[in-house]
Amino acid sequence: MMPASRLRYNDSVGGRASTILGAEAQVTLPHQGAIDCDIHPAVPGTKVLLPFMDEFWQDAIQNRNIDRLELASYPPGAPLSGRPDWRTQAGNPGSDLAQLRAQALDHFGLSHAICNCLYGAQAVYDQELGRVLCRAINDWIAKEWLDREPRLKSSIVVSLMNPELAAEEIERLAGDRRFVQVLVLAMGEMPLGRQFYWPIYRAAERHGLPIGIHAGGMVRHAPTQAGFPSYLVEDYVGQTQGFSAQLLSFVAEGVFVKFPGLKVVLIESGVTWLPSLMWRFTKDWRGVRPEVPWVKEPPAAIIREHVRLTIQPLDGPPDAADVERIVDQLGSDDMLLFATDYPHWQFDGDDVLPPGLPARLHEKIMIDNPLATYPRLKEAKQ
Amino acid sequence: MTTTLLERSVVQPVRLGIVDCDIHPVMRAPTDILEFLPQRWRQHIASFGARASRPFLTAIPYPRMTPGNGVRMDAWPPNGGPPGSDLDFMRSHHLDANGIEFGILQPLAAGSQTLDQDLGAAMCTAINEWQLARWIGPEPRLKGSLCVTQEDPDAAIAEMERHAGNRAFVQIAVPPRTIEPFGRRRYWKLIAAAVEHDLPIGLHSAAYGPHANSGTGWLSYYIEEHFAFAFSLQTVVASLVMEGVFERFPTLKIVAIEGGFAWVPPLMWRLDKHWHRMRAEVPHVKRPPSEYIREHVWYTTQPVEEPERSADILDTIRWIGADRLMFSTDYPHWDYDDPNYAFKAPLDEATRKLIFRDNARAVYRLS
């Protein structure tokens, strides 16, 4: 079935994807000026990154054929990776600014959208190469996307191979207020709460930058306790295990005790698994808290204070009344952040707000919660 | 909050004739197994140990919080030995006291995870003989789980044949922490044999395994590892669906043991959503994953998740289906669920009968 919004584009204007959208095609959401907390510009290849690195690395990248670093978590042709009507004529989904502007920013009437670049720089093993690629991606995003479209903000991508180098990259960019978050992947070498990573959190907290954890992995370990699943769909569904492990780790290692101002945003994580985690984690904490005596609050309370989640995908039950119940079980109205996950295919047509999300939460999810989570967006609003 | 306190104080005396689907029989001393092993393997263990994929030769990787590797303080038998090792005391302390009509044993002694495959097979045989000699022979209320080597299907099938028709064993026991996800084809021979013997396959959470306990590496603390038990069971369920195992074996019964159950509804929703989107990748999966799961998978309840608003668990039960949950205590472990207090929200009578007795009676064909 062809999504409704696609029909509307063709009916209204037709022609090239990048110019099809007029103001009349904008969808009516309950509130104007939503903040999209997950949008994916695609790096077309390392070629575009070369101007943002020195000669030594330009040579190395070309001589060693360091290219095509798309993550295995998101094969560009997979249904997940690009909604049919959001794909481009040429290049990977998300590689065309004009199209992204028309289909996401204009169409949904967004005031801001946060770019989460998923190119595989974060997954390389060589810490210097990782540093150079991440740095180049950040500078490329600033020049090719943020300079050209003021509604776009971005996450800082960092390599986790050396947290001191990651902290340096955060310090380097912290003065550019268009960078609003630090981005890492859900499955890496070690659980993210480990003290090894704390230099990153020190820098992030100092500059008011949340840590965004996005679905996807560095594939340093089998993604499950029983090895590698056969299919992408299993791998994707199983990302919740990675997100869960990171929450366990952040809380149990005492990251929020050491960095009380730190926020963690789970991006493209699904939402409905979280209440059951909070119940089980809190029960376990009551039983074995002497093991982690620095954790002085119930984990559910810590998670509600420090953790946020984007709403695409929600992974809700089929019945809208049940969606309302499971969202209510989060126990906080402050946790959910609006997102389209453009150009990933999470919903059809204009159903970016999953049916069953209570109307009283719409404005909070679309505007208030993102502003509270990303303090730098408030500056942009003023 | 007053309401919560009132709910928590609700005692629900259970005198149905309960089926407890997770009781741990324990050896008086680790050397007890030697009696059931051939001389060759006794010598082997004395020289080389029973090596498994864990850092320590015998200790569990994540130390528990109470003496005896995390057992109930009141479960130490008065006549000596560790908790769970004295049948008479188990009778009076647990089976009689709680009105347990049937108890399903879950031996945690290694075998299925022993790296030397011949030793592993010998240990599984020994553990099954030990169950017969010390537990399910003397006490008809107790039923055994037939321990087999899932990584060596021929040995596993031989062990099933050895006890074929012995209704004292009511399920095949394998750990969910396997070398490959349990739905993959290397396990189909074993699964086919279980179906042929008309035995459910029970997968009990395991304290160690061949891969990291999360996809982002090893967690630091027991509080994390204990939670992560549920990951291994989620992987089993997703893998069996996505590999088409339930299409291939339409009468297969799977029991997920000691992982709690509140994770099940969100897993079913997520599987359905993303299967719908990417079903071209798995054309052998003909129906929404939740349909297979509802037909083929049961869950033991312990550790029962405890929402802050107790009644929220009733939504969870409704979403899973009360016919899928089977009560378990995990006796004698520290996180034991008492049948009188396990559910903080009042269950209606029909639901209680299903969860505490009837589902397990049907799945395990107990009478």
Side-chain angles (χ1 to χ4, degrees), chain B residues 258-274:
Chain B
E258 202 180 339
F261 56 88
W263 50 268
V264 176
L267 178 66
M268 290 198 289
W269 302 329
R270 187 168 165 89
L271 279 166
D272 280 0
K273 163 158 186 170
H274 300 287

Side-chain angles (χ1 to χ4, degrees), chain A residues 194 230 232 236 253 315 346, chain B residues 218 220 243 270 273 281:
Chain A
R194 293 276 184 89
S230 306
L232 177 67
Y236 189 68
E253 303 276 0
D315 298 329
Q346 301 292 0
Chain B
W218 293 97
S220 301
E243 299 285 353
R270 187 168 165 89
K273 163 158 186 170
E281 190 192 22

